[in-house]
Amino acid sequence: FYAMKTGNVCCVYTVYSLFLYIVNAKDEDIDTTLYILDTAIPDGYEQRLKKCWRYSPPDNLTGKWWIDWILFRWHIHKHLPRLHRRAELYMQDHKPWTAVYAGNHKYTYLEDSPQHIAYIWDSSQSNWYTDIMRWNRLRICQFLYGPTYFEAFAHHRNAECLMLTQDDKTPFLENRKRMISIPLSEESWNSFSEYKRERIMEIFDISTNDLEHFKSVDTMIITQPLWPDSVSQEEHVDIYKRLISLYDESKVIIKTHPRETIDYKIIFPKAKVFEKPLPVQILVMMGLNIKRAVTLYSTAVAQLPENITVDWYGTEFDDRLFKKVGHFSEPSGIIQIFTTK
């Protein structure tokens, strides 16, 4: 059956991209949009969205391409509503199942994180784009699974429009339409209707009381899922032990990444831990007040107010991390801090 003959369909893997879509949506579109959530989105969101499906790709693939092709397509046909040709599709595009689901459908690309495409475009900045280009040569995969298969991060021209928080001059994005987000600021938040503010708070399970956690500390550590994305769990813990040791732990609050499962309360008993799986940008819009934000290489700090000091350490903070991820330049206006390893 069809998802809908007209209207919006939003396919996302991260709560940041979900948030980006919702804050830029019209009030009437928030609850009429059909949301399709990847399993990387934490549990609970599907209950708080009015029209929502959660999709988990098949785990019984055989390794034989011709059988897996049939299984994958059958699985999507069985578990997801069919995408009508007149539906407006908004999506992230770096997982294979969205390529199969979207097929030849044009879509608006939802930014994965601030300035992300610019980072992966330059192979000197990141190892990821090399992998994209390697898979891009496998044209048989695109024939079987859809034209955008492994054309991640809006590389394929079917991503005819880009929803970004700031413009991106990456060469392959030339002549694409842009949909620049409203500023993710407290001023924008105050301009929303009461209905929109309440729905955002309901969907992301946050209240004004949550901001109280940040009032008795002066430093916010914005963590990232180094494990399992890049290093082992032991290495992840060791890296953050080194980072947090540079600050007064009793004055620190750890804002965990929505996909993380590590229990920081045990590792850092003196620190506060904010574990709700939501993007830090929603805290900023609701009036987050803190002196300092610390990160390894989360570009979320680019969207913090100017009165918050940012300590950016980069992947060079740890050789194991740098070897896996490569260099990530600090956002404009932020100075990288180098430490002795």
Side-chain angles (χ1 to χ4, degrees):
F1 59 95
Y2 286 110
M4 58 185 67
K5 290 188 176 180
T6 58
N8 296 349
V9 177
C10 177
C11 299
V12 288
Y13 324 136
T14 68
V15 295
Y16 170 79
S17 296
L18 176 64
F19 179 67
L20 186 65
Y21 172 79
I22 290 175
V23 297
N24 285 282
K26 298 176 182 177
D27 287 16
E28 58 268 26
D29 288 340
I30 294 175
D31 289 333
T32 59
T33 294
L34 174 67
Y35 298 90
I36 302 177
L37 307 183
D38 185 79
T39 52
I41 300 281
D43 292 339
Y45 279 89
E46 62 269 37
Q47 284 80 40
R48 299 190 293 268
L49 291 163
K50 300 292 186 184
K51 299 171 66 175
C52 185
W53 295 65
R54 184 179 285 274
Y55 182 68
S56 177
D59 56 8
N60 59 340
L61 299 181
T62 66
K64 297 179 179 179
W65 67 265
W66 58 277
I67 296 178
D68 291 347
W69 170 62
I70 296 172
L71 285 174
F72 210 160
R73 285 195 169 276
W74 173 84
H75 195 270
I76 285 181
H77 179 75
K78 178 182 178 182
H79 292 281
L80 288 178
R82 187 176 175 186
L83 185 63
H84 195 279
R85 62 183 176 85
R86 288 186 292 177
E88 293 286 337
L89 179 60
Y90 298 78
M91 75 174 195
Q92 294 177 269
D93 62 6
H94 61 272
K95 288 195 176 183
W97 71 263
T98 47
V100 179
Y101 183 64
N104 286 309
H105 206 96
K106 307 293 186 182
Y107 63 95
T108 295
Y109 167 78
L110 294 172
E111 164 179 285
D112 183 65
S113 61
Q115 304 177 30
H116 189 69
I117 298 178
Y119 287 125
I120 64 169
W121 164 250
D122 186 348
S123 60
S124 68
Q125 299 264 2
S126 170
N127 297 327
W128 296 340
Y129 190 73
T130 304
D131 293 336
I132 292 173
M133 295 308 295
R134 175 170 57 86
W135 280 103
N136 187 35
R137 298 189 186 101
L138 301 180
R139 296 299 182 184
I140 183 64
C141 292
Q142 294 179 322
F143 174 75
L144 295 172
Y145 296 109
T148 64
Y149 189 78
F150 270 104
E151 294 262 18
F153 307 112
H155 191 262
H156 196 278
R157 295 200 67 83
N158 277 5
E160 62 180 4
C161 185
L162 315 169
M163 184 179 288
L164 308 170
T165 48
Q166 56 184 281
D167 198 9
D168 192 310
K169 302 300 183 182
T170 300
F172 69 77
L173 299 178
E174 188 178 1
N175 298 323
R176 309 285 184 92
K177 292 185 288 186
R178 264 69 165 170
M179 187 182 296
I180 304 300
S181 170
I182 63 167
L184 303 182
S185 64
E186 190 174 1
E187 183 179 0
S188 294
W189 179 262
N190 292 334
S191 73
F192 291 163
S193 67
E194 183 178 355
Y195 165 78
K196 187 169 186 175
R197 290 196 298 267
E198 288 180 353
R199 279 301 287 137
I200 291 173
M201 292 168 69
E202 289 169 0
I203 292 168
F204 291 89
D205 188 28
I206 188 172
S207 71
T208 53
N209 291 334
D210 287 312
L211 295 177
E212 297 295 320
H213 296 288
F214 295 82
K215 288 189 174 179
S216 61
V217 297
D218 55 29
T219 301
M220 173 176 62
I221 310 291
I222 301 176
T223 66
Q224 296 165 262
L226 310 182
W227 171 77
D229 289 3
S230 304
V231 299
S232 70
Q233 183 173 358
E234 293 75 18
E235 290 169 335
H236 175 113
V237 171
D238 179 61
I239 290 169
Y240 277 109
K241 280 184 175 179
R242 287 179 49 227
L243 180 65
I244 293 177
S245 71
L246 301 175
Y247 300 89
D248 181 352
E249 186 179 324
S250 65
K251 293 292 185 180
V252 160
I253 186 166
I254 300 170
K255 164 62 181 76
T256 64
H257 189 278
R259 288 195 287 114
E260 283 191 280
T261 58
I262 289 177
D263 190 348
Y264 287 99
K265 293 178 181 176
I266 295 176
I267 304 169
F268 304 104
K270 296 180 182 178
K272 286 188 172 185
V273 181
F274 187 80
E275 295 178 309
K276 284 194 173 183
L278 49 81
V280 69
Q281 289 84 356
I282 191 173
L283 299 171
V284 171
M285 292 190 79
M286 293 177 63
L288 174 67
N289 185 18
I290 200 163
K291 293 180 180 178
R292 184 179 302 273
V294 178
T295 188
L296 291 171
Y297 61 103
S298 172
T299 54
V301 297
Q303 296 168 330
L304 296 178
E306 292 182 356
N307 64 323
I308 298 178
T309 300
V310 174
D311 290 353
W312 171 285
Y313 287 88
T315 53
E316 291 86 351
F317 183 76
D318 187 271
D319 289 336
R320 297 162 294 186
L321 183 62
F322 180 75
K323 182 178 179 181
K324 181 66 178 179
V325 178
H327 173 68
F328 259 66
S329 293
E330 63 277 13
S332 176
I334 294 174
I335 299 175
Q336 182 170 352
I337 295 174
F338 291 95
T339 61
T340 303
K341 298 184 178 68

